[in-house]
Amino acid sequence: MPTYAYACKDCDHAFETVQSFSDASLTVCPECGGTLRKKFNTVGVVFKGSGFYRTDSRGGSSSSTPAASTAKESTPKDTKPAPAAAAH
């Protein structure tokens, strides 16, 4: 369960509490009965390494381009190039 930080708008009392995702946010200060606000903290995620690249999730080079190989197969192989026009 995540830990949430709250601060009172009236008396500046600050505290943290462990709540479930489905629990409602606290609204009343336990010290003075004033209005609470939820404080937002930094996310605890750290990315290590050289980075993530577009090609990281792809397989080998032959399996990454199935559309290109299909297009090549559909080209007729017995077609001859058109003769060049004779220059006059």
Side-chain angles (χ1 to χ4, degrees), residues 2-76:
T3 302
Y4 293 102
Y6 290 93
C8 180
K9 291 181 180 180
D10 300 329
C11 70
D12 293 328
H13 173 68
F15 63 98
E16 292 182 346
T17 185
V18 177
Q19 290 181 293
S20 174
F21 288 111
S22 60
D23 289 347
S25 296
L26 300 178
T27 57
V28 179
C29 176
E31 296 289 318
C32 72
T35 306
L36 286 178
R37 66 178 177 89
K38 188 181 283 188
K39 294 171 51 177
F40 294 98
N41 298 325
T42 58
V43 178
V45 176
V46 178
F47 294 103
K48 294 183 179 182
S50 61
F52 300 97
Y53 297 94
R54 183 176 177 197
T55 58
D56 283 350
S57 63
R58 296 185 180 192
S61 61
S62 63
S63 66
S64 65
T65 56
S69 63
T70 306
K72 288 179 184 175
E73 291 171 6
S74 64
T75 305

